C-alpha cells in the first residue's frame, strides 16, 4: 500500500526521524513497531492492508513511527540509567514533536467550513489522536496513553511488554519507574487518574495470545490488567488462544478487528 514518506529533524533527539503516513482522512493513529523496528515494518508486514477498508473509507489514518530501541531498551552495553534517559527522550519526541506534527498534518488537510459552522469545524479539525503498537511498540503506545491522556484519547497494545525493569533496570530509578506502567500504576501522582478513570474501557485495548513466544507478553498483559483494575482504571483485555503466536500475522488480525470495532 502506498504511503507518504517524511524525514524531519527532531530537536529532542538531535537527529532526523522518519515516519510514513497511510490514508487520506479520518482518525489519526500513531503506529509503533516491534522491538528494534523501523517505520516501514508496519507496511512490510501488511498492517495497513489489515485496515484497508477503513483507510480507503477515510475512517482512519496510520502514521508509522521509527523506534530508537537500539539506544534505549535494547542497549545492553549501556548503563541502565542511560537507557532510561534515552527512553524518556523518545517519549518526549513522540508526545511533543511527532504527535503535534501528526495533528498539524491532519488539520491542514481538513475541509474548510462555512463561517456559520466554525464551532463544528473546530471539532472536526481537532481530531482525536490514537496510538497502537506491537511487542515493545505496544508498551510505547500504552505509555503514551497513560502519561498523556489529554493528547492520546486511546491506545491499542498487542502482545505488549509492560514491566520495563527487564530493559531499563530497577524501578527504584525515577525514570524507569515513570516509564514502566506496571510499576507506575502502583504509585500516586505519576498518572492523571482523574482523566483516565472517566474514559470508556475501549479507549485502552490490550491483547495477547497463548501460542509460541507469547509467554512474556501474556504474563505482562494479565499483570497490567490487574494493575489497572487495582487503580480503578478501565481497560478491555482479550487473551487469544494457544494457536496465537508472537508475530505479525496475528497482530494484523487483532489490529484489524479492534480498529473496525473502534473506528468502523
Amino acid at each position: 500500500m502506498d504511503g507518504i514518506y517524511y524525514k524531519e529533524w527532531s530537536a529532542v533527539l538531535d537527529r532526523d526521524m522518519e515516519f510514513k503516513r497511510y490514508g487520506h482522512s479520518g482518525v489519526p493513529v500513531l503506529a509503533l513497531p516491534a522491538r528494534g523496528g523501523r517505520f516501514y515494518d508496519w507496511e512490510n508486514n501488511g498492517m495497513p492492508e489489515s485496515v484497508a477498508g477503513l483507510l480507503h473509507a477515510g475512517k482512519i489514518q496510520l502514521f508509522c513511527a521509527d523506534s530508537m530501541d537500539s539506544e534505549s531498551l535494547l542497549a545492553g552495553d549501556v548503563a541502565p540509567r542511560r537507557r532510561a534517559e534515552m527512553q524518556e527522550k523518545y517519549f518526549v519526541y513522540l508526545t511533543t514533536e511527532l504527535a503535534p506534527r501528526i495533528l498539524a498534518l491532519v488539520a491542514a488537510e481538513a475541509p474548510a467550513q462555512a463561517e456559520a459552522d466554525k464551532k463544528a469545524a473546530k471539532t472536526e479539525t481537532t481530531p482525536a489522536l490514537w496510538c497502537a503498537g506491537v511487542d515493545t511498540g505496544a508498551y510505547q503506545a500504552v505509555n503514551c496513553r497513560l502519561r498523556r491522556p489529554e493528547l492520546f484519547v486511546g491506545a491499542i497494545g498487542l502482545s505488549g511488554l509492560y514491566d520495563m525493569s527487564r530493559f531499563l533496570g530497577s524501578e527504584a530509578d525515577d525514570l524507569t519507574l515513570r516509564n514502566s506502567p506496571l510499576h507506575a500504576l502502583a504509585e500516586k501522582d505519576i498518572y492523571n487518574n482523574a482523566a483516565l478513570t472517566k474514559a470508556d474501557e475501549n479507549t485502552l485495548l490490550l491483547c495477547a495470545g497463548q501460542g509460541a513466544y507469547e509467554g512474556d507478553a501474556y504474563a505482562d498483559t494479565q499483570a497490567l490488567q490487574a494493575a489497572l483494575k487495582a487503580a480503578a482504571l478501565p481497560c478491555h483485555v482479550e487473551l487469544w488462544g494457544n494457536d496465537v503466536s508472537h508475530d505479525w500475522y496475528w497482530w494484523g488480525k487483532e489490529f484489524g478487528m479492534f480498529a473496525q470495532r473502534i473506528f468502523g
Side-chain angles (χ1 to χ4, degrees), residues 86-157:
M86 293 305 293
Q87 164 56 33
E88 181 69 9
K89 280 190 174 184
Y90 183 64
F91 169 78
V92 173
Y93 159 70
L94 292 177
T95 56
T96 68
E97 290 187 334
L98 185 55
R101 175 64 170 142
I102 290 170
L103 292 175
L105 287 169
V106 173
E109 297 191 3
Q113 301 290 322
E115 183 70 21
D117 294 331
K118 274 188 176 181
K119 185 175 181 180
K122 182 177 181 181
T123 300
E124 293 179 11
T125 57
T126 308
L129 178 60
W130 276 70
C131 47
V134 301
D135 186 64
T136 55
Y139 150 68
Q140 302 288 2
V142 170
N143 196 39
C144 285
R145 166 61 181 160
L146 292 178
R147 292 181 63 182
R148 292 293 306 275
E150 80 288 354
L151 178 60
F152 293 96
V153 300
I156 301 172

Side-chain angles (χ1 to χ4, degrees), residues 172-194:
D173 181 279
D174 64 313
L175 285 181
T176 300
L177 175 61
R178 193 167 297 277
N179 282 287
S180 184
L182 279 182
H183 299 109
L185 281 164
E187 302 292 329
K188 295 181 179 179
D189 303 324
I190 292 182
Y191 298 144
N192 182 354
N193 284 23

Side-chain angles (χ1 to χ4, degrees), residues 13 15 67-92 136 139-140 143 147 163-171 173-180:
L13 300 177
R15 71 190 69 183
S67 79
M68 53 177 294
D69 292 345
S70 63
E71 299 174 55
S72 56
L73 304 183
L74 304 181
D77 58 342
V78 175
R81 175 67 184 189
R82 178 60 175 165
R83 296 199 297 271
E85 288 171 349
M86 293 305 293
Q87 164 56 33
E88 181 69 9
K89 280 190 174 184
Y90 183 64
F91 169 78
V92 173
T136 55
Y139 150 68
Q140 302 288 2
N143 196 39
R147 292 181 63 182
D163 179 355
M164 287 297 107
S165 64
R166 59 164 56 91
F167 297 112
L168 303 178
S170 171
E171 67 273 15
D173 181 279
D174 64 313
L175 285 181
T176 300
L177 175 61
R178 193 167 297 277
N179 282 287
S180 184

